[in-house]
Amino acid sequence: MRYLPLTQPDRDAMLSVIGAGSIDDLFVDVPEAARLSGPIAGLPGHASELAVERHMTALARKNVVAGEVPFFLGAGAYRHHVPASVDHLIQRGEFLTAYTPYQPEIAQGTLQMLFEFQTQVARMLGTDVANASMYDGSTACWEAIGMARRITRKGKAILSGGLHPHYVSVAKTMAKYTGDQLETATPALSAETDVEALIAAIDADTSCVVVQYPDILGRITDLTPLADACHANKALLIAVVTEPVALGAITAPGEMDADIVVGEGQSLGVGLQFGGPYVGLMGCKEKYIRQMPGRFCGETVDADGRRGFVLTLSTREQHIRREKATSNICTNSGLCALAFSVHMTLLGEAGLRRLAAINHAAACRAADRLSQVPGVELVTESFFNEFTVRLPVEARPVVRTLADRGILAGVSLGRLYPGEAALANGLIVAVTETTSAEDIETLAAALEEVLA
């Protein structure tokens, strides 16, 4: 495909048709502070393809490869072993080049895959139904809040302090345009969750309560009392899962009567990939299915009685009247959903439970060892594969020092919550099946040295 730049007369003609005086008029909704006033400082001018390749290769060499150093990063994106067969299968031409099934009857393979994905996600989340995926966990969280507004016809959402701050940020951005009122908080650096405070905050205007499970500090709590309190006030409980492997070991939110369960599916099949693309998960009670965004694939039979798959629901603007669309999400994360489904199929229920057990056991060993480091205090008492410790000093400089030594020690709370002095010493540590006993000892020894 050739690049054919527009001439100035071309641009003038296009602007005239849409009634804009200049290119700048197209960006009036972008805040002035976010607009470029000139060339990007430090960005070089054009160069040859060979020169650009050399430059980008040199930059790439500066990256730290996750598998080559002790790796304890988490907080919403986790390093797990992805079997080679996952990558092999998703690169088959039939899947890799498949496009959005506008004509479902000729996309039976894609539809069957999505149907299996929905089944796996619904069983994992403990919900009656699941859709064919969302873009990622954070936007799925917002879609759930919007869904709760449509169902309850109320506009106040209470967000737990334990909800990932990036998810909160996405919700705040979207709420500016919908008028939803969001009540937010920051987490307390303690073993106690804010479930009791959330229950006390629910009132007649509440559309939903959003809680992460396990939460940003790795804490796990029974969601049943919160679900009961929500339903007593005709509100919905939305549970957010950022580490789906945890559901191989702990009770699924849907089984604790959560109305909508959303999550990030990156842990299974997708890999870290510098932060994306990822795959959002979404399930709910069957009675709310027509308020869910995105797509649903269903199973049926054709005129000859043969098994087939169809696009049962597709509440998107292109398919129905715009004002009736539940969301403007245009499609589903097809290839990442396929990777998730292939990995889940390879594991099976027994394999997922074994993987979860390995993760939890490794995290317990790490928590015990780090607790032996002078000055380090374990904050999270009940956790899966991620926990928070309190250091005797600010965590961000410690993380930076250890990174310079080739140890990715975790995510500092000061990075997630800048300006919150009470959280500055907190460090979130994630441990998976890829973490060796040697990695744990290396981190503990380095912490002892840095904190001495």
Side-chain angles (χ1 to χ4, degrees):
M1 182 181 295
R2 292 181 297 161
Y3 171 58
L4 300 175
L6 298 173
T7 64
Q8 190 58 46
D10 291 333
R11 296 190 183 94
D12 293 340
M14 295 168 69
L15 290 170
S16 176
V17 169
I18 63 176
S22 68
I23 295 293
D24 292 337
D25 289 349
L26 304 180
F27 301 96
V28 293
D29 292 325
V30 179
E32 190 73 35
R35 299 185 216 168
L36 288 175
S37 58
I40 300 175
L43 188 67
H46 70 277
S48 68
E49 183 176 331
L50 180 58
V52 171
E53 286 179 354
R54 286 174 176 167
H55 180 67
M56 299 304 291
T57 300
L59 291 178
R61 291 197 186 103
K62 296 181 179 181
N63 291 324
V64 176
V65 180
E68 295 180 356
V69 296
F71 187 92
F72 297 89
L73 301 179
Y78 304 91
R79 180 177 175 244
H80 289 282
H81 172 69
V82 179
S85 49
V86 173
D87 208 35
H88 173 75
L89 289 173
I90 69 172
Q91 290 191 57
R92 287 184 61 94
E94 303 95 316
F95 285 126
L96 190 61
T97 62
Y99 188 55
T100 300
Y102 289 111
Q103 296 175 289
E105 68 278 4
I106 62 171
Q108 286 296 296
T110 297
L111 292 178
Q112 181 174 359
M113 177 275 292
L114 293 174
F115 180 82
E116 301 294 347
F117 169 85
Q118 291 170 182
T119 304
Q120 292 168 330
V121 172
R123 291 192 62 184
M124 173 180 280
L125 302 182
T127 57
D128 297 330
V129 293
N131 69 12
S133 79
M134 307 296 286
Y135 291 143
D136 55 36
S138 62
T139 50
C141 177
W142 164 253
E143 293 284 358
I145 295 172
M147 182 176 163
R149 173 176 19 87
R150 293 192 296 274
I151 293 169
T152 65
R153 300 186 184 278
K154 295 185 285 188
K156 186 176 79 172
I158 301 173
L159 278 53
S160 165
L163 179 62
H164 197 299
H166 294 172
Y167 287 47
V168 175
S169 179
V170 169
K172 286 182 176 178
T173 297
M174 298 301 293
K176 292 178 183 177
Y177 305 98
T178 64
D180 285 81
Q181 176 188 348
L182 305 182
E183 291 191 359
T184 63
T186 53
L189 194 55
S190 70
E192 300 299 322
T193 65
D194 59 355
V195 168
E196 293 301 322
L198 293 172
I199 291 174
I202 301 172
D203 59 22
D205 297 323
T206 303
S207 66
C208 62
V209 175
V210 185
V211 59
Q212 186 170 316
Y213 174 83
D215 74 3
I216 187 63
L217 303 187
R219 300 171 297 192
I220 302 171
T221 190
D222 183 4
L223 300 182
T224 305
L226 183 56
D228 292 341
C230 287
H231 300 153
N233 289 274
K234 294 181 171 54
L236 304 186
L237 175 60
I238 298 172
V240 177
V241 178
T242 62
E243 170 53 296
V245 176
L247 300 180
I250 61 179
T251 304
E255 296 177 17
M256 291 183 280
D257 212 19
D259 298 283
I260 307 171
V261 186
V262 297
E264 174 54 67
Q266 171 271 324
S267 284
L268 292 170
V270 179
L272 289 168
Q273 300 180 167
F274 294 98
Y278 286 170
V279 54
L281 313 178
M282 189 173 207
C284 71
K285 293 179 177 178
E286 187 172 6
K287 61 183 177 181
Y288 301 134
I289 187 171
R290 289 190 174 273
Q291 290 298 331
M292 285 186 79
R295 300 172 149 177
F296 295 87
C297 292
E299 182 181 3
T300 186
V301 293
D302 64 13
D304 298 322
R306 295 175 299 186
R307 184 189 191 207
F309 298 91
V310 294
L311 201 57
T312 307
L313 293 175
S314 186
T315 52
R316 57 181 293 193
E317 294 176 2
Q318 292 93 328
H319 288 177
I320 63 175
R321 286 180 295 170
R322 183 185 182 97
E323 64 273 13
K324 296 294 184 181
T326 57
S327 167
N328 68 351
I329 181 170
C330 292
T331 182
N332 52 279
S333 296
L335 199 62
C336 292
L338 173 64
F340 177 99
S341 191
V342 171
H343 197 171
M344 274 295 298
T345 302
L346 291 170
L347 286 170
E349 181 178 348
L352 178 64
R353 294 191 183 281
R354 283 198 299 271
L355 177 62
I358 293 170
N359 273 248
H360 181 58
C364 288
R365 288 193 296 271
D368 290 342
R369 178 64 184 90
L370 294 180
S371 297
Q372 297 171 7
V373 176
V376 175
E377 175 191 355
L378 179 63
V379 173
T380 317
E381 295 178 353
S382 177
F383 57 86
F384 171 61
N385 68 350
E386 188 169 35
F387 55 86
T388 300
V389 295
R390 180 187 287 109
L391 305 183
V393 297
E394 186 181 352
R396 292 193 79 174
V398 173
V399 169
R400 182 70 265 169
T401 299
L402 293 178
D404 291 340
R405 299 186 182 191
I407 303 170
L408 301 181
V411 177
S412 63
L413 288 179
R415 177 183 176 187
L416 295 177
Y417 301 94
E420 294 289 337
L423 300 174
N425 291 17
L427 178 66
I428 305 171
V429 179
V431 181
T432 71
E433 75 282 0
T434 65
T435 310
S436 68
E438 181 182 358
D439 291 336
I440 295 171
E441 185 56 39
T442 299
L443 172 60
L447 263 181
E448 288 175 349
E449 183 179 339
V450 171
L451 297 177

